[in-house]
Amino acid sequence: MSKKNKFHFGIFEDGKNIKIAQLQMQKNSASLVSLQKEFMDSPLYAGAVLKKKNFEQGDVENNGPINLNEQSDDFDLDQGEDLHSKFMSLEYLLRRFPLNSGKLALNANNDKLNFHTLNLPQKKITRSKLVELEILKPYEKRDKNIQINFIPNVNDQTTIVVHRGENKLFSFLQDFNKKNAHKKYFYSLIDCNDILLTDYLKNSKELAASENTLLLYLGHEYKKGIFMEGNSYKKSFPIMTSANSFDIKEEIYSKLMLMEDEEDLPEFSKLIIAGDYSKDEDIAYFSQKYENIEVKRATFENFPLTIDPEIGADEIAAYIIPIMLAMKSMHLKTLHFITSNFLSPKVIESQKPFKIGWHGFVILAVIFLTVLYLTNSYLNFNQQLNQMVAKNKNLEQKLQSIKQDRMIIQNVQKQINQIIESDSKITNILENKNKWTYIMNKFAYAVATHPKSWLTNVKSEKNGFIISGITDDRENIIYFSKLFPNSNITSVDSETLEGREIWSFDISYDYPAISTFEIIEKKEKSPPPDVTPVKTMETKNNSVNTLYRQITNAYYQGDRKKVINLARKLIEKYPQDELALNSKYLIGELIYQEGKTEEALQLFNQVIEAKNNMAPFAMYMKAKLMANKGQNQQAIEQLQLLMNYYTTSSVLPKAKKLLRTLEGAQNE
């Protein structure tokens, strides 16, 4: 690109909304030339009819289930439609800018990205490591169409950002370039919205080392929170809103409150608003809601950027992402950005200039002939030297082989003597240790597979041993009595604890016959705990566990519709399983966010009546629902009941916080 082309364009796609920021380079600073946007008739990434091409059953057998988000390159929109007739407004917007006279920077669509946080520093993360951790499929290990970038987190954590599939905005620009301009466009980068917003915060001088900051970007489709702990990226989370919301600010505030409760979002002392909902009334609304927190609009006051005073501050905040795209393409020395680029390496290489004059060819020819002559001379000399070295090496190997054979014979004799001496010592050491290792391994597995049972004492005797334990299921006592030979249940007592009957027992056994050198292999392993956003009871059905894990994965990804559909499917197939009640709670939580309070209340009541492990969480949500209806006294009673009956629940800190708020409101 010519040095005269000092324009930089940031093009931001957000659903149907397309924004372009045009900046001009001025030494080591920039000036804002133009901000413009258009709304298309339909988004570039239409999630409607997708058709799979060349799909075979073997794809599933070899690579596992096909994920539509990860395999989007194999799907096409309906080819019967003329793309340019659908996106006339986008073409109209592009024609307003001299795109062939500058560098273009685009954003990556959020739906094409997957985020994964690892407790590893970036330098230790490779593609092989990502395959090992199942972030990438094995067949994606060397796939050049899959781009990977990193966001450094606090405490040596790293967020992995994986882009799969086609960038429709980039493809549209290439096609538009061919039809409307003789000169090829120069593409600088494609970057992730989350990384751009993190770059903004790191360079805005708004971050203090001892404070937590939350940036809310509220766009047309892309709505997200970026949480910073001091100067370091902590996490990001989507803010899902209803399409027909009558009060978008109220809904966003409700989502933030839920995030603080359900995602354990740390407290923040500064809130920065950006995007389309950053007008004066929006700032005033959030300032009223967060009276003790500094709330402000995103600005570029501390950036090397000259802006026309006539451009409103709310418009600048609305264009923060396209402006950051353009500035990141400038490589300003005064700014520090996260190194990331989802632009294909092929495109980057194809744009690198390579020019050489006629005198350069003469120099290259001389160098080539000189190197060729020296290489031939060196090869001849090296060949003779290698022959002499090979002969000498053969003689040395024969000599070493004779010496090694002699040493081996001597060492074998010493080892035989040492083994004979050690044999008796090892037998004495392992005789008792191996026996008790076997016994404790058996008990560890028995307790792991029979929850709510535990041992209180193990006593060794001359000819056997005695155990004491407690369980809430009397049949477990029979199971424990069969673990070792010649067992005898010496006592069984029952008592009532917090309304539940529990059994204490004593069982005597003979010692099992275990060989001193027998290798004890624990062939049966208790299943690992399921990582879910809520606590779950153990189930005996692997199918229901698998289905519930799909529900929790969708919950973390913010796919509300998928969570509700899968949860209802689990309830229908396994109505008596403990996880069916967990699923009812999740459905209640999500439809509560949608404003379906009566239906949510019914589901919370079912969980509370069943006294499921999610009952304290359901009681907390019921109290919030009552408080939102203005029923403060009923909400207070519900919270007091929760704290009396569930004294060890992890939801108690939230319940106490809400109780203080409600009691304070009553005293005013």
Side-chain angles (χ1 to χ4, degrees), residues 324-376:
M324 285 301 299
L325 280 165
M327 294 192 74
K328 197 164 183 177
S329 72
M330 291 181 173
H331 304 292
L332 298 175
K333 296 180 181 179
T334 56
L335 299 179
H336 302 282
F337 298 109
I338 297 172
T339 304
S340 63
N341 195 347
F342 293 104
L343 189 62
S344 169
K346 291 182 179 179
V347 176
I348 296 173
E349 288 297 323
S350 67
Q351 296 182 140
K352 289 182 178 179
F354 181 78
K355 298 179 181 179
I356 185 168
W358 65 268
H359 54 281
F361 286 107
V362 173
I363 295 173
L364 287 175
V366 172
I367 293 173
F368 173 78
L369 293 174
T370 303
V371 171
L372 182 62
Y373 172 78
L374 294 175
T375 300
N376 287 332

Short mmCIF file of all heavy atoms in Angstrom, two decimals, residues 324-376:
data_model
loop_
_atom_site.label_atom_id
_atom_site.label_comp_id
_atom_site.label_asym_id
_atom_site.label_seq_id
_atom_site.Cartn_x
_atom_site.Cartn_y
_atom_site.Cartn_z
N MET A 324 -12.07 1.42 17.33
CA MET A 324 -10.96 0.62 17.83
C MET A 324 -10.37 -0.26 16.72
O MET A 324 -9.15 -0.48 16.67
CB MET A 324 -11.43 -0.26 19.00
CG MET A 324 -11.63 0.49 20.31
SD MET A 324 -10.12 1.31 20.89
CE MET A 324 -9.01 -0.08 21.10
N LEU A 325 -11.23 -0.78 15.83
CA LEU A 325 -10.71 -1.55 14.70
C LEU A 325 -9.77 -0.72 13.84
O LEU A 325 -8.67 -1.16 13.47
CB LEU A 325 -11.89 -2.06 13.85
CG LEU A 325 -12.62 -3.30 14.35
CD1 LEU A 325 -13.95 -3.47 13.63
CD2 LEU A 325 -11.76 -4.54 14.16
N ALA A 326 -10.20 0.51 13.50
CA ALA A 326 -9.37 1.38 12.67
C ALA A 326 -8.06 1.75 13.38
O ALA A 326 -6.98 1.76 12.78
CB ALA A 326 -10.15 2.63 12.29
N MET A 327 -8.14 2.06 14.70
CA MET A 327 -6.93 2.44 15.44
C MET A 327 -5.97 1.26 15.58
O MET A 327 -4.75 1.43 15.52
CB MET A 327 -7.32 2.98 16.82
CG MET A 327 -8.11 4.27 16.77
SD MET A 327 -8.24 5.05 18.39
CE MET A 327 -6.60 5.70 18.60
N LYS A 328 -6.53 0.06 15.74
CA LYS A 328 -5.65 -1.11 15.89
C LYS A 328 -4.89 -1.39 14.60
O LYS A 328 -3.77 -1.91 14.63
CB LYS A 328 -6.47 -2.32 16.29
CG LYS A 328 -5.65 -3.47 16.87
CD LYS A 328 -6.49 -4.48 17.60
CE LYS A 328 -5.65 -5.56 18.23
NZ LYS A 328 -6.45 -6.53 19.01
N SER A 329 -5.49 -1.04 13.45
CA SER A 329 -4.79 -1.25 12.18
C SER A 329 -3.66 -0.24 11.97
O SER A 329 -2.83 -0.42 11.10
CB SER A 329 -5.80 -1.15 11.02
OG SER A 329 -6.21 0.19 10.83
N MET A 330 -3.62 0.85 12.77
CA MET A 330 -2.59 1.89 12.62
C MET A 330 -1.28 1.53 13.30
O MET A 330 -0.24 2.10 13.00
CB MET A 330 -3.10 3.21 13.21
CG MET A 330 -4.22 3.85 12.43
SD MET A 330 -4.72 5.41 13.20
CE MET A 330 -5.89 6.03 11.99
N HIS A 331 -1.31 0.62 14.28
CA HIS A 331 -0.11 0.25 15.04
C HIS A 331 0.53 1.48 15.70
O HIS A 331 1.73 1.72 15.57
CB HIS A 331 0.92 -0.45 14.14
CG HIS A 331 0.38 -1.65 13.44
ND1 HIS A 331 0.02 -2.80 14.09
CD2 HIS A 331 0.08 -1.86 12.13
CE1 HIS A 331 -0.45 -3.68 13.23
NE2 HIS A 331 -0.42 -3.14 12.02
N LEU A 332 -0.28 2.27 16.39
CA LEU A 332 0.24 3.46 17.06
C LEU A 332 1.18 3.06 18.20
O LEU A 332 0.85 2.20 19.02
CB LEU A 332 -0.92 4.31 17.59
CG LEU A 332 -1.89 4.85 16.52
CD1 LEU A 332 -3.06 5.55 17.18
CD2 LEU A 332 -1.16 5.79 15.58
N LYS A 333 2.33 3.72 18.28
CA LYS A 333 3.34 3.35 19.28
C LYS A 333 2.89 3.67 20.70
O LYS A 333 3.39 3.08 21.65
CB LYS A 333 4.65 4.07 18.97
CG LYS A 333 5.27 3.65 17.65
CD LYS A 333 6.57 4.41 17.39
CE LYS A 333 7.19 4.01 16.04
NZ LYS A 333 8.44 4.75 15.77
N THR A 334 1.98 4.63 20.85
CA THR A 334 1.55 5.03 22.19
C THR A 334 0.49 4.10 22.76
O THR A 334 0.13 4.22 23.93
CB THR A 334 0.98 6.46 22.17
OG1 THR A 334 -0.09 6.51 21.21
CG2 THR A 334 2.06 7.45 21.78
N LEU A 335 -0.03 3.18 21.96
CA LEU A 335 -1.08 2.27 22.41
C LEU A 335 -0.56 0.84 22.42
O LEU A 335 0.31 0.46 21.63
CB LEU A 335 -2.31 2.36 21.50
CG LEU A 335 -2.99 3.73 21.42
CD1 LEU A 335 -4.16 3.69 20.47
CD2 LEU A 335 -3.45 4.20 22.81
N HIS A 336 -1.09 0.05 23.32
CA HIS A 336 -0.68 -1.35 23.47
C HIS A 336 -1.91 -2.24 23.30
O HIS A 336 -2.86 -2.16 24.09
CB HIS A 336 -0.03 -1.59 24.83
CG HIS A 336 1.15 -0.71 25.07
ND1 HIS A 336 2.40 -0.96 24.52
CD2 HIS A 336 1.28 0.45 25.79
CE1 HIS A 336 3.24 -0.01 24.90
NE2 HIS A 336 2.60 0.86 25.66
N PHE A 337 -1.88 -3.09 22.26
CA PHE A 337 -3.02 -3.94 21.95
C PHE A 337 -2.66 -5.41 22.16
O PHE A 337 -1.50 -5.80 22.06
CB PHE A 337 -3.47 -3.75 20.50
CG PHE A 337 -3.94 -2.36 20.19
CD1 PHE A 337 -3.20 -1.53 19.38
CD2 PHE A 337 -5.15 -1.89 20.71
CE1 PHE A 337 -3.63 -0.25 19.09
CE2 PHE A 337 -5.59 -0.62 20.43
CZ PHE A 337 -4.82 0.21 19.61
N ILE A 338 -3.70 -6.22 22.43
CA ILE A 338 -3.54 -7.67 22.46
C ILE A 338 -3.27 -8.15 21.03
O ILE A 338 -3.99 -7.79 20.11
CB ILE A 338 -4.80 -8.35 23.02
CG1 ILE A 338 -5.03 -7.93 24.48
CG2 ILE A 338 -4.71 -9.87 22.92
CD1 ILE A 338 -6.35 -8.39 25.05
N THR A 339 -2.22 -8.94 20.85
CA THR A 339 -1.88 -9.44 19.52
C THR A 339 -2.88 -10.51 19.09
O THR A 339 -2.87 -11.61 19.61
CB THR A 339 -0.46 -10.02 19.50
OG1 THR A 339 0.45 -9.03 19.96
CG2 THR A 339 -0.07 -10.46 18.10
N SER A 340 -3.77 -10.16 18.19
CA SER A 340 -4.77 -11.13 17.71
C SER A 340 -5.20 -10.72 16.31
O SER A 340 -5.32 -9.54 16.01
CB SER A 340 -5.98 -11.18 18.65
OG SER A 340 -6.63 -9.93 18.68
N ASN A 341 -5.45 -11.73 15.48
CA ASN A 341 -5.91 -11.47 14.12
C ASN A 341 -6.52 -12.74 13.56
O ASN A 341 -5.86 -13.78 13.50
CB ASN A 341 -4.73 -11.02 13.24
CG ASN A 341 -5.20 -10.40 11.93
OD1 ASN A 341 -6.37 -10.51 11.56
ND2 ASN A 341 -4.29 -9.75 11.24
N PHE A 342 -7.82 -12.69 13.21
CA PHE A 342 -8.50 -13.83 12.62
C PHE A 342 -8.46 -13.80 11.09
O PHE A 342 -9.13 -14.59 10.44
CB PHE A 342 -9.96 -13.88 13.09
CG PHE A 342 -10.09 -14.17 14.55
CD1 PHE A 342 -10.41 -13.16 15.46
CD2 PHE A 342 -9.90 -15.45 15.03
CE1 PHE A 342 -10.54 -13.43 16.80
CE2 PHE A 342 -10.04 -15.71 16.38
CZ PHE A 342 -10.34 -14.70 17.27
N LEU A 343 -7.68 -12.87 10.53
CA LEU A 343 -7.52 -12.82 9.08
C LEU A 343 -6.65 -14.00 8.64
O LEU A 343 -5.65 -14.32 9.28
CB LEU A 343 -6.85 -11.50 8.68
CG LEU A 343 -6.79 -11.18 7.19
CD1 LEU A 343 -8.18 -11.05 6.60
CD2 LEU A 343 -6.01 -9.88 6.97
N SER A 344 -7.04 -14.66 7.56
CA SER A 344 -6.32 -15.84 7.09
C SER A 344 -4.86 -15.50 6.79
O SER A 344 -4.57 -14.48 6.16
CB SER A 344 -6.99 -16.39 5.83
OG SER A 344 -6.18 -17.37 5.22
N PRO A 345 -3.91 -16.35 7.22
CA PRO A 345 -2.49 -16.11 6.90
C PRO A 345 -2.24 -16.02 5.39
O PRO A 345 -1.34 -15.31 4.95
CB PRO A 345 -1.78 -17.34 7.50
CG PRO A 345 -2.70 -17.80 8.59
CD PRO A 345 -4.08 -17.51 8.10
N LYS A 346 -3.06 -16.73 4.58
CA LYS A 346 -2.89 -16.65 3.13
C LYS A 346 -3.15 -15.23 2.63
O LYS A 346 -2.45 -14.73 1.75
CB LYS A 346 -3.85 -17.63 2.44
CG LYS A 346 -3.52 -19.09 2.66
CD LYS A 346 -4.48 -19.97 1.90
CE LYS A 346 -4.14 -21.44 2.09
NZ LYS A 346 -5.08 -22.32 1.37
N VAL A 347 -4.17 -14.59 3.18
CA VAL A 347 -4.49 -13.22 2.77
C VAL A 347 -3.37 -12.27 3.18
O VAL A 347 -2.96 -11.39 2.42
CB VAL A 347 -5.83 -12.78 3.38
CG1 VAL A 347 -6.13 -11.32 3.03
CG2 VAL A 347 -6.96 -13.67 2.89
N ILE A 348 -2.86 -12.45 4.40
CA ILE A 348 -1.78 -11.57 4.90
C ILE A 348 -0.55 -11.70 4.02
O ILE A 348 0.07 -10.71 3.62
CB ILE A 348 -1.45 -11.92 6.36
CG1 ILE A 348 -2.67 -11.62 7.26
CG2 ILE A 348 -0.24 -11.13 6.85
CD1 ILE A 348 -2.50 -12.08 8.69
N GLU A 349 -0.17 -12.96 3.68
CA GLU A 349 1.02 -13.18 2.86
C GLU A 349 0.85 -12.62 1.45
O GLU A 349 1.78 -12.08 0.87
CB GLU A 349 1.33 -14.68 2.78
CG GLU A 349 1.87 -15.28 4.07
CD GLU A 349 3.20 -14.69 4.47
OE1 GLU A 349 4.02 -14.40 3.57
OE2 GLU A 349 3.43 -14.49 5.67
N SER A 350 -0.38 -12.76 0.90
CA SER A 350 -0.61 -12.30 -0.47
C SER A 350 -0.53 -10.79 -0.60
O SER A 350 -0.34 -10.26 -1.70
CB SER A 350 -1.99 -12.78 -0.95
OG SER A 350 -3.03 -12.13 -0.23
N GLN A 351 -0.66 -10.04 0.51
CA GLN A 351 -0.64 -8.58 0.48
C GLN A 351 0.74 -7.98 0.73
O GLN A 351 0.91 -6.78 0.64
CB GLN A 351 -1.64 -8.01 1.51
CG GLN A 351 -3.08 -8.37 1.21
CD GLN A 351 -4.05 -7.76 2.20
OE1 GLN A 351 -5.11 -7.31 1.86
NE2 GLN A 351 -3.68 -7.74 3.47
N LYS A 352 1.72 -8.84 1.08
CA LYS A 352 3.06 -8.32 1.36
C LYS A 352 3.75 -7.92 0.06
O LYS A 352 3.82 -8.70 -0.89
CB LYS A 352 3.90 -9.38 2.09
CG LYS A 352 3.46 -9.62 3.52
CD LYS A 352 4.35 -10.64 4.20
CE LYS A 352 3.94 -10.83 5.64
NZ LYS A 352 4.79 -11.84 6.32
N PRO A 353 4.26 -6.69 -0.01
CA PRO A 353 4.94 -6.25 -1.25
C PRO A 353 6.33 -6.87 -1.37
O PRO A 353 7.03 -7.05 -0.38
CB PRO A 353 5.03 -4.74 -1.08
CG PRO A 353 5.05 -4.52 0.40
CD PRO A 353 4.20 -5.62 1.00
N PHE A 354 6.70 -7.25 -2.62
CA PHE A 354 8.05 -7.77 -2.87
C PHE A 354 8.56 -7.15 -4.17
O PHE A 354 8.12 -7.50 -5.25
CB PHE A 354 8.04 -9.30 -3.00
CG PHE A 354 9.40 -9.89 -3.23
CD1 PHE A 354 10.30 -10.03 -2.19
CD2 PHE A 354 9.80 -10.27 -4.51
CE1 PHE A 354 11.56 -10.55 -2.41
CE2 PHE A 354 11.06 -10.80 -4.73
CZ PHE A 354 11.94 -10.95 -3.68
N LYS A 355 9.50 -6.20 -4.06
CA LYS A 355 10.00 -5.49 -5.23
C LYS A 355 11.53 -5.54 -5.24
O LYS A 355 12.16 -5.39 -4.21
CB LYS A 355 9.54 -4.02 -5.22
CG LYS A 355 8.02 -3.87 -5.26
CD LYS A 355 7.62 -2.41 -5.23
CE LYS A 355 6.11 -2.26 -5.25
NZ LYS A 355 5.69 -0.83 -5.20
N ILE A 356 12.08 -5.76 -6.43
CA ILE A 356 13.53 -5.80 -6.55
C ILE A 356 13.93 -5.23 -7.93
O ILE A 356 13.30 -5.53 -8.94
CB ILE A 356 14.05 -7.25 -6.39
CG1 ILE A 356 15.58 -7.26 -6.39
CG2 ILE A 356 13.50 -8.18 -7.45
CD1 ILE A 356 16.16 -8.59 -5.94
N GLY A 357 14.95 -4.40 -7.99
CA GLY A 357 15.40 -3.79 -9.24
C GLY A 357 16.33 -4.71 -10.01
O GLY A 357 16.71 -5.79 -9.55
N TRP A 358 16.76 -4.25 -11.26
CA TRP A 358 17.62 -5.08 -12.11
C TRP A 358 18.98 -5.33 -11.47
O TRP A 358 19.56 -6.41 -11.61
CB TRP A 358 17.80 -4.42 -13.48
CG TRP A 358 18.55 -3.11 -13.41
CD1 TRP A 358 18.03 -1.88 -13.29
CD2 TRP A 358 19.97 -2.94 -13.43
NE1 TRP A 358 19.00 -0.91 -13.24
CE2 TRP A 358 20.24 -1.55 -13.34
CE3 TRP A 358 21.05 -3.82 -13.55
CZ2 TRP A 358 21.51 -1.03 -13.34
CZ3 TRP A 358 22.33 -3.29 -13.56
CH2 TRP A 358 22.56 -1.92 -13.45
N HIS A 359 19.48 -4.32 -10.73
CA HIS A 359 20.77 -4.51 -10.09
C HIS A 359 20.69 -5.57 -8.99
O HIS A 359 21.68 -6.24 -8.69
CB HIS A 359 21.27 -3.18 -9.50
CG HIS A 359 20.27 -2.53 -8.59
ND1 HIS A 359 19.20 -1.80 -9.06
CD2 HIS A 359 20.19 -2.51 -7.24
CE1 HIS A 359 18.50 -1.36 -8.02
NE2 HIS A 359 19.07 -1.77 -6.91
N GLY A 360 19.51 -5.71 -8.42
CA GLY A 360 19.34 -6.75 -7.41
C GLY A 360 19.49 -8.14 -8.01
O GLY A 360 20.07 -9.04 -7.38
N PHE A 361 18.98 -8.33 -9.25
CA PHE A 361 19.11 -9.63 -9.90
C PHE A 361 20.58 -9.94 -10.19
O PHE A 361 21.03 -11.10 -10.10
CB PHE A 361 18.30 -9.65 -11.20
CG PHE A 361 16.82 -9.74 -10.98
CD1 PHE A 361 16.00 -8.64 -11.19
CD2 PHE A 361 16.25 -10.92 -10.56
CE1 PHE A 361 14.64 -8.72 -10.99
CE2 PHE A 361 14.89 -11.01 -10.35
CZ PHE A 361 14.07 -9.90 -10.57
N VAL A 362 21.38 -8.91 -10.57
CA VAL A 362 22.80 -9.13 -10.83
C VAL A 362 23.51 -9.59 -9.56
O VAL A 362 24.30 -10.55 -9.56
CB VAL A 362 23.45 -7.84 -11.38
CG1 VAL A 362 24.97 -8.01 -11.49
CG2 VAL A 362 22.85 -7.47 -12.73
N ILE A 363 23.19 -8.91 -8.45
CA ILE A 363 23.82 -9.28 -7.17
C ILE A 363 23.43 -10.69 -6.78
O ILE A 363 24.26 -11.49 -6.32
CB ILE A 363 23.41 -8.27 -6.08
CG1 ILE A 363 23.98 -6.88 -6.42
CG2 ILE A 363 23.88 -8.73 -4.71
CD1 ILE A 363 23.50 -5.78 -5.50
N LEU A 364 22.15 -11.03 -6.96
CA LEU A 364 21.69 -12.38 -6.62
C LEU A 364 22.40 -13.43 -7.47
O LEU A 364 22.74 -14.52 -6.98
CB LEU A 364 20.18 -12.48 -6.82
CG LEU A 364 19.30 -11.77 -5.78
CD1 LEU A 364 17.83 -11.86 -6.17
CD2 LEU A 364 19.50 -12.38 -4.40
N ALA A 365 22.63 -13.12 -8.76
CA ALA A 365 23.31 -14.07 -9.64
C ALA A 365 24.74 -14.31 -9.18
O ALA A 365 25.22 -15.46 -9.15
CB ALA A 365 23.29 -13.56 -11.09
N VAL A 366 25.46 -13.23 -8.82
CA VAL A 366 26.84 -13.37 -8.34
C VAL A 366 26.88 -14.19 -7.06
O VAL A 366 27.73 -15.08 -6.89
CB VAL A 366 27.47 -11.97 -8.13
CG1 VAL A 366 28.83 -12.09 -7.45
CG2 VAL A 366 27.60 -11.23 -9.46
N ILE A 367 25.97 -13.87 -6.18
CA ILE A 367 25.91 -14.62 -4.90
C ILE A 367 25.64 -16.08 -5.17
O ILE A 367 26.24 -16.98 -4.55
CB ILE A 367 24.84 -14.01 -3.98
CG1 ILE A 367 25.26 -12.60 -3.54
CG2 ILE A 367 24.60 -14.89 -2.77
CD1 ILE A 367 24.20 -11.86 -2.76
N PHE A 368 24.73 -16.37 -6.10
CA PHE A 368 24.36 -17.75 -6.39
C PHE A 368 25.57 -18.54 -6.92
O PHE A 368 25.85 -19.67 -6.49
CB PHE A 368 23.22 -17.77 -7.41
CG PHE A 368 22.87 -19.14 -7.90
CD1 PHE A 368 22.13 -20.01 -7.11
CD2 PHE A 368 23.32 -19.60 -9.14
CE1 PHE A 368 21.81 -21.28 -7.55
CE2 PHE A 368 23.01 -20.86 -9.58
CZ PHE A 368 22.26 -21.72 -8.79
N LEU A 369 26.33 -17.94 -7.88
CA LEU A 369 27.47 -18.63 -8.46
C LEU A 369 28.56 -18.86 -7.43
O LEU A 369 29.19 -19.93 -7.38
CB LEU A 369 28.02 -17.82 -9.65
CG LEU A 369 27.08 -17.72 -10.87
CD1 LEU A 369 27.67 -16.77 -11.91
CD2 LEU A 369 26.85 -19.10 -11.47
N THR A 370 28.77 -17.86 -6.57
CA THR A 370 29.79 -18.00 -5.52
C THR A 370 29.42 -19.11 -4.55
O THR A 370 30.25 -19.96 -4.18
CB THR A 370 29.95 -16.67 -4.76
OG1 THR A 370 30.28 -15.63 -5.68
CG2 THR A 370 31.04 -16.79 -3.71
N VAL A 371 28.17 -19.11 -4.13
CA VAL A 371 27.71 -20.13 -3.19
C VAL A 371 27.78 -21.51 -3.83
O VAL A 371 28.14 -22.50 -3.17
CB VAL A 371 26.27 -19.81 -2.73
CG1 VAL A 371 25.69 -20.97 -1.93
CG2 VAL A 371 26.26 -18.54 -1.89
N LEU A 372 27.43 -21.60 -5.11
CA LEU A 372 27.48 -22.89 -5.80
C LEU A 372 28.90 -23.46 -5.84
O LEU A 372 29.13 -24.65 -5.57
CB LEU A 372 26.94 -22.73 -7.23
CG LEU A 372 26.88 -24.00 -8.08
CD1 LEU A 372 25.94 -25.02 -7.46
CD2 LEU A 372 26.43 -23.66 -9.50
N TYR A 373 29.90 -22.61 -6.16
CA TYR A 373 31.30 -23.06 -6.21
C TYR A 373 31.77 -23.51 -4.83
O TYR A 373 32.40 -24.57 -4.67
CB TYR A 373 32.19 -21.92 -6.72
CG TYR A 373 33.67 -22.21 -6.62
CD1 TYR A 373 34.30 -23.02 -7.55
CD2 TYR A 373 34.43 -21.67 -5.57
CE1 TYR A 373 35.65 -23.31 -7.45
CE2 TYR A 373 35.78 -21.95 -5.48
CZ TYR A 373 36.38 -22.76 -6.40
OH TYR A 373 37.72 -23.05 -6.30
N LEU A 374 31.51 -22.68 -3.81
CA LEU A 374 31.93 -23.03 -2.45
C LEU A 374 31.23 -24.29 -1.96
O LEU A 374 31.83 -25.11 -1.25
CB LEU A 374 31.64 -21.86 -1.51
CG LEU A 374 32.45 -20.58 -1.76
CD1 LEU A 374 31.97 -19.46 -0.84
CD2 LEU A 374 33.95 -20.83 -1.56
N THR A 375 29.99 -24.45 -2.33
CA THR A 375 29.23 -25.63 -1.89
C THR A 375 29.82 -26.90 -2.47
O THR A 375 29.98 -27.92 -1.77
CB THR A 375 27.75 -25.49 -2.30
OG1 THR A 375 27.20 -24.32 -1.70
CG2 THR A 375 26.96 -26.69 -1.84
N ASN A 376 30.16 -26.90 -3.77
CA ASN A 376 30.76 -28.08 -4.39
C ASN A 376 32.09 -28.45 -3.74
O ASN A 376 32.37 -29.62 -3.47
CB ASN A 376 30.96 -27.84 -5.89
CG ASN A 376 29.64 -27.87 -6.65
OD1 ASN A 376 28.70 -28.54 -6.22
ND2 ASN A 376 29.57 -27.15 -7.76
#
